[in-house]
């Protein structure tokens, strides 16, 4: 096994027995006149990566960030916007595809930009994918082929959103360096720069993996308020085949026959379980959430000026890094 690999093997003696899985998240909200568990489909897995493995992954991310700053990654792989106010300054590294949270300056709409290229997944991140599948955190039918690394400084955040449907469900995010909270709900509120309010809060321990599927991925929005300490998250997602970048080539290391079998296939439309007034259960297909971030104006805490949450809060990813030269092509 090389230094860039994690042991993907599952079973007693290999660490899988330390994994704790929580799948009973519940928060009821009114959706189209019916009470719905908007957290249905969320899973939290802890113990997937040992402390030593977490440190290797963090060191790898810092090395990749250094390469991005020095222009050694593709131009749209690395983005580090100028931190001009609280909540804005999160650095990102994209692998597998170039994705826009909002319409960029070139007019590209939210979603995967099919004619742009970024770097492929590094070996250690591919090893993480193999672990997630082998240990049945993600199903083998939805093996991630892209990821985004978020590098937070103190006060950085991610505003309320629903992940774009260019990516299949389920997808997952892995947390490193510091524990933080993620908020879920249909009506998340913006209180100020990096400050949000929501009815359901889930704590993300260091090293944990949060899987998003069902209502938790497509009905409820989610956000990460301003973090109290430096933090790294890595979100792994599988692209819809119809949205793959034009020059995308599947990575042989992530082909199904090279991965351990796992659980059922991904769900495309969310299935919303509702409770009628007489207590009976009813299911229907939910609408896929758009990735666009809502524009909201709120009064900033402690002042009369309005705080605007706009597309700038999800800057076009892959913008030129603040340091370093133009990336290689």
């Amino acid at each position: 096994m090389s230094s860039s690999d994690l042991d993907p093997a599952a079973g007693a003696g290999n660490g899988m027995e330390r994994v704790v899985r929580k799948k009973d998240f519940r928060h009821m909200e009114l959706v189209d006149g019916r009470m719905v568990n908007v957290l249905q489909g969320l899973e939290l897995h802890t113990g997937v990566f040992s402390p030593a493995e977490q440190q290797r992954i963090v060191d790898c991310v810092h090395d990749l960030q250094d390469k991005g700053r020095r222009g050694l990654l593709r131009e749209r792989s690395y983005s580090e916007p100028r931190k001009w106010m609280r909540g804005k300054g999160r650095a990102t590294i994209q692998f597998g595809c170039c994705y826009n949270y909002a319409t960029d300056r070139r007019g590209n709409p939210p979603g995967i930009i099919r004619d742009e290229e970024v770097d492929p997944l590094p070996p250690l991140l591919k090893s993480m994918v193999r672990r997630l599948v082998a240990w049945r955190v993600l199903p083998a039918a939805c093996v991630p082929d892209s990821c985004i690394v978020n590098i937070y400084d103190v006060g950085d955040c991610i505003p309320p959103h629903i992940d774009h449907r260019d990516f299949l469900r389920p997808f997952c995010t892995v947390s490193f360096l510091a524990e933080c909270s993620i908020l879920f709900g249909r009506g998340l509120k913006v209180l100020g720069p990096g400050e949000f309010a929501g009815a359901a809060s889930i704590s993300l321990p260091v090293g944990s993996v949060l899987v998003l599927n069902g209502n938790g991925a497509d009905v409820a929005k989610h956000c990460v308020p301003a973090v109290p300490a430096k933090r790294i998250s890595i979100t792994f997602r599988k692209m819809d085949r119809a949205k793959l970048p034009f020059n995308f080539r599947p990575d042989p290391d992530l082909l199904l026959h090279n991965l351990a079998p796992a659980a059922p296939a991904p769900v495309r439309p969310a299935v919303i379980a509702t409770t009628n007034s007489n207590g009976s259960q009813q299911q229907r297909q939910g609408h896929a959430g758009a990735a666009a971030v809502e524009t909201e104006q709120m009064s900033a805490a402690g002042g009369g000026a309005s705080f605007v949450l706009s597309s700038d809060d999800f800057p076009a990813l892959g913008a030129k890094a603040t340091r370093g030269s133009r990336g290689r092509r």
Side-chain angles (χ1 to χ4, degrees):
M1 184 185 308
S2 72
S3 60
S4 61
D5 286 336
L6 302 176
D7 182 5
N14 287 313
M16 188 177 179
E17 69 279 359
R18 70 173 179 250
V19 177
V20 177
R21 310 174 195 267
K22 178 176 173 58
K23 304 181 181 183
D24 58 350
F25 293 101
R26 185 176 180 84
H27 175 69
M28 305 301 292
E29 290 193 24
L30 193 64
V31 179
D32 296 337
R34 300 180 184 278
M35 295 305 293
V36 174
N37 177 16
V38 297
L39 302 186
Q40 173 270 329
L42 296 184
E43 300 178 6
L44 184 65
H45 302 251
T46 56
V48 179
F49 301 102
S50 70
E53 290 171 337
Q54 293 175 40
Q55 186 59 56
R56 288 173 56 197
I57 295 166
V58 168
D59 290 344
C60 175
V61 169
H62 287 154
D63 179 63
L64 291 167
Q65 182 178 30
D66 179 65
K67 289 180 179 178
R69 285 173 167 171
R70 292 189 289 127
L72 300 179
L73 299 178
R74 289 184 182 271
E75 183 180 5
R76 301 208 66 172
S77 290
Y78 184 73
S79 175
E80 186 174 353
R82 181 174 61 89
K83 190 177 180 69
W84 58 275
M85 67 177 292
R86 185 173 187 263
K88 299 188 178 185
R90 172 174 48 91
T92 58
I93 314 175
Q94 299 193 83
F95 297 107
C97 70
C98 181
Y99 168 73
N100 263 352
Y101 283 114
T103 301
D104 64 16
R105 294 178 181 177
R106 303 178 187 179
N108 294 307
I112 295 172
I113 306 177
R114 303 186 70 189
D115 59 357
E116 290 282 0
E117 292 186 41
V118 296
D119 290 88
L121 270 72
L124 188 59
L125 271 59
K126 290 192 292 185
S127 188
M128 291 178 67
V129 170
R130 291 194 293 270
R131 167 71 61 80
L132 293 169
V133 174
W135 287 19
R136 293 172 171 77
V137 176
L138 290 175
C142 198
V143 178
D145 50 17
S146 70
C147 83
I148 180 168
V149 180
N150 290 294
I151 305 169
Y152 301 75
D153 204 346
V154 175
D156 288 340
C157 68
I158 294 183
H161 69 287
I162 290 177
D163 282 54
H164 203 282
R165 293 298 301 189
D166 282 0
F167 300 99
L168 301 183
R169 276 55 169 154
F171 58 93
C172 74
T173 185
V174 192
S175 298
F176 300 97
L177 288 182
E179 185 167 350
C180 79
S181 295
I182 183 170
L183 304 181
F184 283 87
R186 294 267 290 172
L188 299 178
K189 296 181 180 179
V190 180
L191 305 179
E195 298 181 14
F196 314 113
S201 176
I202 297 175
S203 181
L204 302 178
V206 175
S208 66
V209 183
L210 180 68
V211 177
L212 291 88
N213 201 2
N215 295 347
D218 292 322
V219 176
K221 295 180 182 179
H222 59 274
C223 67
V224 176
V227 297
K230 291 181 181 292
R231 175 179 185 262
I232 290 172
S233 69
I234 304 178
T235 298
F236 291 100
R237 300 180 289 201
K238 182 176 179 64
M239 294 178 279
D240 188 315
R241 289 184 62 184
K243 302 295 184 177
L244 291 173
F246 295 124
N247 292 328
F248 179 80
R249 296 292 181 271
D251 192 317
D253 292 339
L254 298 178
L255 294 179
L256 189 57
H257 64 266
N258 290 328
L259 298 165
V267 178
R268 282 179 175 270
V271 176
I272 303 176
T274 62
T275 303
N276 296 325
S277 57
N278 61 6
S280 62
Q281 293 289 319
Q282 179 177 336
Q283 290 188 340
R284 65 181 178 82
Q285 286 190 343
H287 297 289
V293 181
E294 291 185 350
T295 300
E296 302 184 44
Q297 293 189 349
M298 303 294 293
S299 176
S306 63
F307 169 66
V308 180
L309 175 63
S310 67
S311 60
D312 289 338
D313 290 275
F314 271 153
L317 296 180
K320 192 172 182 179
T322 55
R323 304 180 190 177
S325 59
R326 183 181 180 89
R328 61 176 173 82
R329 299 300 296 173

